[in-house]
């Protein structure tokens, strides 16, 4: 038997080898199409079990499974409701079954027509039941049924009367459900019903059960959201509830106080033990500030969050939140510095000759101190000094919200925010920096505050350092010494953490733009310029010197008097930086005698772009050879234009790629016998296949790599993509013996999508698309052969239309990336043992990618194998809108040992295999890998890797 199996396997292997050598392509692999069905339950089984048995042990699992299958279809919903109604008529069922049935009925029924009979039966259950839990569920279900679409006021009145009739019970669950029902169904118009409901809710805010008090406050909030004006005693009850023993009551009262303050902020509230009055919003703010010292952390967090959401607060109350007074026996106790200052100014010292000459003043009675005067004192300070992370973060958010609306408060809170830089938790320190970034427009840093902030540049966290760089670039420094200290600290940061180089460069660019006068006074010190002696010319490879040049050159834009201070070698270095760092170094007007010879001023680039596109559109009637020559010339010009003008680079690349697609189309259609590739020579057939593959890749890149296009430009790209798929289908049908069903379906899907897009955007189709739409609509069954016969004459008759004028060239975005580390010219060799891995640090910036989840790291090994690695989401940081920074470690492995170190390519790509149905990658015109669905963002960087062979023995 074993010999027979071996012989059969050998025969199949030989047959396979023969097929591969002869040339026929293997059949496409079969795919299993999985249909994800919705989660359903056998309702017939549930109905049968409910009719045949009344055993709770069998009913309860069926009810639970029915609840998990909601919502139900229309037919099964009617049957299930009928069987649930039968269960309600059975009085022998235990209460927990009846409670579950009532809950299911409230969740299943959504229309008023079905709710009417069910509601009547539910109300009859309320009359005959003796279970408190069933009665509570009856009130809840009846409330839900009365709100079915459209809501019935008569049913709602019945629910209100039912709830009010049981409001005197001692069972908390019935009270809670009743209060929720009357709060939900309370009418918005003033009347007897509304007055009765309000009196009931206010009365239960002082109930002995904390759950009932919480439900009463929550119901009052629901009533207030309907536009009902709450009486004054509601606010008084909420203020008293802030001293409740239960946190749920205090939390509900906090929200009600805040809502009441927003509804009527200018209402005057009397101050206890005084004839004075104060605004309601100030009184509410003071009450919430007092809760910041609550014993429960959740209540403190909630109170700190509510402080930032309040508006219209008086200035003195805002200032009190940052004034942390020391209190001793209900009397303000001055600090040691204040006592020493008072004693020194009075000139009197305690000699000990008189009895009790240094005794404290008379005590203040506790009742005479108003809570309004002390409630808001130091509230934000207490929140920042809280022991819990949640409270400190909430306090920071509150200070940020209040400071954005009050510049004076922002400057007063600056010292406390700077103190948070010393917090032991990284998240709090990062939050403090982010708050400073948001209020940077309202503050001016002093020298002592700046020194405290600059200590954070030594933090080991990359996020904190980069956030601090952003803050320093947006804030305003008050003195020249502050700018000098800031630059020195940034240079020290560069020496300590070289990977922060790009972030420091951006920071110094903004510092120079914001402080041109201060930088002018520091030019001689920064660049070592002497009025009489020539110094040593610095090297442009020096990182610190580059940072200083970025600072000075950006300040020179707004302060032209800096330019005469620069030496000749600085001008040459400026020309070098303009070529290497155009985004960091601005264009300076140096004059004809000092203007660098290689400085390029792009003044006519936009006009040249438009003229080049007009040249392409004007060659429709020319000969094929002339058109190909013009396409090639325009393509090379647009590529050079993209290198000259960075602002127009995406639009130039877009137009150049479109022009190259037109060139490839012309080449393919002008090839003789392109429909019969078997009659071509081996070289011609290979060139034709290469052109088709390249055209597919270019149109795919046009479709996904460029964003922020106008509808007309988007339609042009989709039109070109449909033409390419049509050309591919015709080429495969005539030149291959394999199946083209996948390609035909792909073409039809793109054609339908383009037709919908043109209809939605109200755009007209060109002659080719109109002919395709008309011919395809007449086909009974779109088979590949029939579709190809329709497309072949249309492709030859209608040439590819030229790209119209780009509406807004400066706004076009192109997906791109830049690998900062590893450097392309690095000679570092990464050694590893064969079979193991080695980590390579990767630092890069990615711009204008539509979906960050499609980003991949492509690793190309010397044996021509490639791997796509998904970077961790937390390693991808958002630097600015549309720009991400990827900071990660790429693991490279090698299963064999090479004789010497070889290069491994690292690049960044977009994997869009899930974006389109590309049947072409399963056909011979696509390569074996998924390169047809990959968009390369940057050229690969070569890394030297040397795997060592594993030594045997010790």
């Amino acid at each position: 038997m074993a010999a027979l199996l071996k012989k059969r396997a050998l025969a199949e292997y030989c047959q396979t080898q023969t097929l591969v050598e002869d040339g026929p392509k293997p059949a496409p692999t079969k795919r299993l199409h999985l249909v994800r069905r919705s989660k359903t339950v056998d309702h017939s089984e549930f109905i049968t079990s409910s009719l045949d048995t009344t055993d709770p042990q069998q009913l309860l699992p069926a009810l639970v499974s029915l609840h998990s299958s909601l919502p139900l279809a229309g037919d099964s919903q009617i049957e299930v409701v009928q069987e649930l109604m039968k269960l309600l008529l059975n009085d022998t069922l235990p209460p927990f079954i009846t409670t579950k049935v009532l809950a299911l009925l409230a969740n299943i029924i959504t229309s008023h027509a079905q709710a009417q009979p069910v509601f009547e039966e539910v109300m009859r259950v309320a009359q005959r039941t003796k279970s408190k839990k069933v009665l509570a569920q009856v009130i809840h279900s009846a409330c839900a049924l009365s709100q079915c679409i459209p809501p019935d006021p008569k049913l709602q009145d019945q629910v209100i009367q039912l709830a009010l009739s049981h409001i005197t019970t001692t069972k908390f669950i019935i009270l809670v459900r009743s209060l929720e029902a009357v709060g939900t169904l309370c009418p918005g118009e003033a009347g007897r019903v509304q007055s009765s409901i309000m009196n009931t809710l206010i009365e239960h805010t002082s109930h002995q059960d904390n759950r009932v008090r919480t439900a009463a406050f929550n119901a009052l909030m629901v009533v207030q959201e309907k536009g009902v004006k709450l009486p004054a005693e509601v606010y008084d009850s909420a203020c008293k509830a802030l001293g409740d023993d239960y946190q749920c009551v205090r939390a509900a009262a906090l929200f009600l106080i805040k809502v009441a303050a927003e509804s009527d902020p200018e209402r005057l509230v009397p101050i206890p033990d005084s004839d004075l009055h104060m605004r309601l919003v100030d009184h509410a703010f003071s009450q919430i500030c007092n809760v910041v010292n609550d014993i429960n952390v959740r209540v403190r967090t909630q109170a700190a969050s509510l402080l930032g959401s309040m508006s219209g607060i008086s200035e003195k109350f805002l200032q009190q939140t940052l004034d942390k007074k020391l209190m001793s026996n209900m009397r303000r106790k001055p600090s040691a510095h204040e006592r020493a200052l008072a004693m020194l100014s009075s000139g009197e010292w305690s000699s000990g000759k008189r009895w009790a000459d240094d005794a404290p003043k008379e005590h203040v009675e506790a009742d005479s101190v108003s809570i309004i005067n002390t409630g808001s004192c130091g509230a934000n300070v207490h929140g920042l000094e809280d022991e819990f992370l949640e409270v400190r973060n909430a306090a920071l958010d509150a200070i940020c919200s209040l400071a954005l609306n009050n510049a004076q408060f922002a400057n007063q809170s600056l010292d406390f925010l700077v103190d948070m830089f010393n917090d032991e938790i990284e998240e709090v320190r990062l939050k403090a920096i982010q708050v400073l970034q948001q209020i940077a427009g309202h503050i001016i840093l002093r020298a002592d505050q700046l020194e405290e902030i600059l200590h954070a540049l030594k933090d080991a966290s990359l996020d904190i350092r980069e956030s601090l760089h952003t803050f320093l670039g947006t804030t305003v420094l008050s003195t020249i010494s502050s700018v000098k200290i800031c630059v020195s600290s940034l240079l020290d940061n560069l020496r300590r953490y070289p990977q922060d180089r790009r972030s420091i460069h951006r920071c110094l660019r903004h510092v120079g733009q914001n402080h041109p006068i201060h930088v002018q006074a520091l030019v001689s010190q920064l660049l070592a310029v002497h009025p009489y002696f020539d110094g040593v010319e610095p090297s442009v490879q020096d990182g610190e010197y580059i940072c200083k040049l970025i600072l000075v050159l950006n300040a020179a834009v707004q302060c032209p008097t800096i330019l005469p201070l620069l030496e000749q070698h600085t001008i040459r270095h400026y020309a070098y930086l303009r070529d290497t760092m155009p985004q960091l170094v601005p264009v300076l007007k140096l004059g004809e005698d000092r203007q660098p010879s290689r400085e390029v001023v792009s003044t006519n680039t936009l006009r040249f772009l438009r003229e080049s596109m007009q040249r392409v559109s004007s060659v429709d009637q020319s000969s094929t050879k002339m058109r190909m020559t013009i396409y090639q010339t325009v393509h090379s010009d647009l590529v050079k234009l993209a290198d000259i003008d960075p602002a127009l680079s995406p639009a130039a690349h877009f137009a150049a790629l479109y022009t190259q697609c037109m060139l490839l189309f012309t080449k393919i259609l002008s090839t003789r016998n392109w429909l019969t590739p078997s009659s071509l020579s081996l070289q011609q057939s290979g060139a034709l296949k290469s052109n088709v593959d390249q055209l597919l890749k270019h149109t795919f890149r046009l479709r996904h790599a460029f964003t922020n296009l106008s509808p007309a430009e988007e339609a042009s790209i989709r039109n070109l993509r449909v033409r390419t798929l049509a050309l591919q289908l015709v080429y495969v049908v005539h030149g291959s013996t394999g199946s083209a069903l996948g390609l035909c379906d792909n073409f039809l899907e793109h054609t339908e999508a383009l037709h919908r897009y043109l209809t939605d955007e109200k755009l007209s189709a060109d002659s080719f698309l109109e002919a395709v739409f008309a011919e395809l609509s007449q086909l009974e069954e779109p088979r590949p052969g029939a579709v190809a016969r329709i497309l072949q004459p249309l492709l030859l008759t209608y040439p590819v239309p030229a790209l119209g004028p780009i509406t807004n060239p400066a706004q076009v975005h192109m997906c791109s990336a830049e690998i900062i580390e590893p450097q392309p010219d690095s000679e570092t060799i990464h050694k590893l043992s064969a079979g193991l891995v080695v980590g390579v640090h990767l630092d890069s910036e990615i711009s204008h990618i539509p979906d960050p989840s499609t980003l991949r790291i492509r690793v190309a090994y010397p044996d021509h194998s490639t791997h796509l690695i998904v970077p961790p989401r937390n390693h991808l940081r958002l630097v600015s809108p549309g720009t991400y920074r990827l900071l990660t470690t790429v693991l490279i492995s090698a299963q064999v040992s090479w004789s010497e170190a070889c290069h491994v390519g690292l690049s960044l790509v977009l994997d869009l295999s899930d974006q389109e149905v590309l049947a072409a990658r399963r056909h011979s015109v696509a390569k074996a890998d998924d390169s047809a669905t990959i968009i390369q963002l940057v050229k690969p960087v070569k890394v030297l890797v040397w795997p060592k062979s594993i030594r045997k023995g010790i």
Side-chain angles (χ1 to χ4, degrees), residues 665 699 703 715-729 746-755 768-769 772-773 776 791 795:
F665 249 106
T699 54
R703 180 71 178 82
S716 300
I717 297 175
R718 294 192 175 196
N719 186 3
L720 184 62
R721 181 65 178 171
V722 168
R723 286 175 179 266
T724 304
L725 295 177
L727 178 65
Q728 180 193 21
L729 178 61
N746 191 29
F747 167 74
L748 293 176
E749 181 180 351
H750 280 76
T751 304
E752 294 176 1
L754 177 57
H755 186 269
F768 172 79
L769 291 178
V772 170
F773 295 155
L776 291 179
L791 295 176
L795 289 172

Side-chain angles (χ1 to χ4, degrees), residues 52 145 212 330 384 426 441 449 480 656 749 770 900 913 925:
D52 295 343
L145 291 173
V212 177
M330 301 303 295
L384 296 177
E426 177 184 341
Q449 296 171 341
I480 298 175
E749 181 180 351
E770 291 180 353
E900 57 184 7
S913 55
V925 295

Side-chain angles (χ1 to χ4, degrees), residues 181-482:
V182 297
T184 304
L185 303 179
C186 179
E189 298 80 9
R192 183 177 57 84
V193 177
Q194 183 190 104
S195 177
S196 177
I197 291 175
M198 294 299 298
N199 293 333
T200 301
L201 295 177
I202 295 173
E203 179 183 354
H204 283 80
T205 55
S206 58
H207 195 271
Q208 61 181 358
D209 195 307
N210 65 295
R211 293 163 290 192
V212 177
R213 296 196 298 272
T214 305
F217 282 119
N218 292 332
L220 285 170
M221 286 192 59
V222 175
V223 171
Q224 196 277 338
E225 291 175 356
K226 294 183 177 182
V228 179
K229 187 175 181 180
L230 300 180
E233 52 266 24
V234 173
Y235 179 77
D236 298 336
S237 300
C239 292
K240 293 179 182 178
L242 294 180
D244 199 278
D245 294 337
Y246 294 89
Q247 67 175 29
C248 56
V249 181
R250 299 196 298 272
L254 270 178
F255 280 110
L256 188 59
I257 288 175
K258 189 240 181 196
V259 169
E262 291 178 347
S263 61
D264 191 8
E266 300 299 329
R267 180 164 64 91
L268 296 180
V269 178
I271 301 177
D273 300 330
S274 176
D275 297 335
L276 302 178
H277 291 74
M278 64 186 308
R279 298 165 63 232
L280 177 61
V281 63
D282 294 335
H283 189 279
F285 184 78
S286 180
Q287 294 291 334
I288 296 176
C289 287
N290 194 36
V291 187
V292 175
N293 295 321
D294 194 90
I295 192 173
N296 185 266
V297 58
R298 293 185 179 179
V299 178
R300 296 202 301 272
T301 304
Q302 179 180 327
S305 301
L306 291 178
L307 290 180
S309 61
M310 300 187 68
S311 58
I313 312 299
S314 300
E315 189 73 27
K316 60 180 181 179
F317 284 91
L318 288 179
Q319 296 176 2
Q320 277 187 345
T321 60
L322 302 175
D323 187 10
K324 185 179 178 183
K325 295 181 174 64
L326 301 175
M327 304 297 294
S328 177
N329 196 15
M330 301 303 295
R331 183 168 60 85
R332 183 180 182 276
K333 181 181 178 181
S335 62
H337 293 286
E338 292 174 342
R339 292 196 300 269
L341 179 61
M343 190 174 296
L344 181 62
S345 60
S346 63
E348 296 181 0
W349 295 85
S350 176
S351 61
K353 295 181 180 180
R354 291 178 298 177
W355 176 258
D357 58 351
D358 58 347
K361 303 297 182 182
E362 65 279 0
H363 299 298
V364 180
E365 295 296 333
D367 296 337
S368 64
V369 180
S370 174
I371 192 173
I372 301 301
N373 297 329
T374 60
S376 60
C377 293
N380 283 323
V381 180
H382 285 296
L384 296 177
E385 295 177 353
D386 197 274
E387 59 179 333
F388 286 92
L389 165 70
E390 297 85 355
V391 183
R392 298 202 296 274
N393 282 337
L396 286 171
D397 291 333
I399 291 177
C400 179
S401 301
L402 296 174
L404 288 175
N405 300 322
N406 193 310
Q408 184 177 357
F409 180 80
N411 284 277
Q412 291 177 349
S413 63
L414 185 57
D415 288 331
F416 301 97
L417 295 176
V418 172
D419 289 340
M420 298 305 294
F421 282 46
N422 299 321
D423 196 276
E424 66 273 11
I425 297 181
E426 177 184 341
E427 182 179 350
V428 178
R429 300 197 300 271
L430 183 59
K431 173 76 73 173
I433 298 175
Q434 293 172 352
V435 170
L436 284 178
Q437 290 179 16
Q438 298 182 44
I439 66 174
H442 300 290
I443 60 176
I444 297 178
L445 290 179
R446 301 192 309 268
D448 57 331
Q449 296 171 341
L450 180 63
E451 292 179 0
E452 186 71 23
I453 290 175
L454 293 176
H455 283 300
L457 291 176
K458 301 179 182 178
D459 199 293
S461 173
L462 175 64
D463 294 334
I464 289 181
R465 297 197 306 270
E466 290 191 346
S467 299
L468 191 56
H469 295 158
T470 306
F471 166 69
L472 292 175
T474 56
T475 188
V476 178
L477 304 178
S478 56
T479 61
I480 298 175
S481 60
S482 298

Side-chain angles (χ1 to χ4, degrees), residues 648-718:
L648 293 179
S649 179
H653 278 296
F654 174 71
L657 195 57
Y658 192 94
T659 307
Q660 190 174 9
C661 292
M662 297 178 66
L663 175 62
L664 291 174
F665 249 106
T666 308
K667 283 184 179 180
I668 295 172
L669 296 179
S670 62
T671 303
R672 290 185 178 181
N673 301 326
W674 70 276
L675 294 176
T676 56
S678 58
S679 62
L680 299 175
S681 63
L682 185 61
Q683 183 177 2
Q684 292 176 339
S685 177
L688 179 62
K689 179 178 178 298
S690 177
N691 288 336
V692 174
D693 291 342
Q694 195 173 3
L695 183 59
L696 286 169
K697 292 181 181 179
H698 288 343
T699 54
F700 185 78
R701 185 177 181 85
L702 274 175
R703 180 71 178 82
H704 296 284
F706 295 91
T707 56
N708 204 22
L709 301 173
S710 65
E713 295 158 5
E714 184 71 21
S716 300
I717 297 175
R718 294 192 175 196

Side-chain angles (χ1 to χ4, degrees), residues 817 842 844 846 855-857 886 907-909 935-938:
L842 178 65
S844 60
I846 306 99
L855 182 66
R856 302 290 185 269
I857 302 173
L886 178 62
S907 61
L908 296 174
V909 298
I935 295 180
Q936 187 169 341
L937 301 178
V938 64

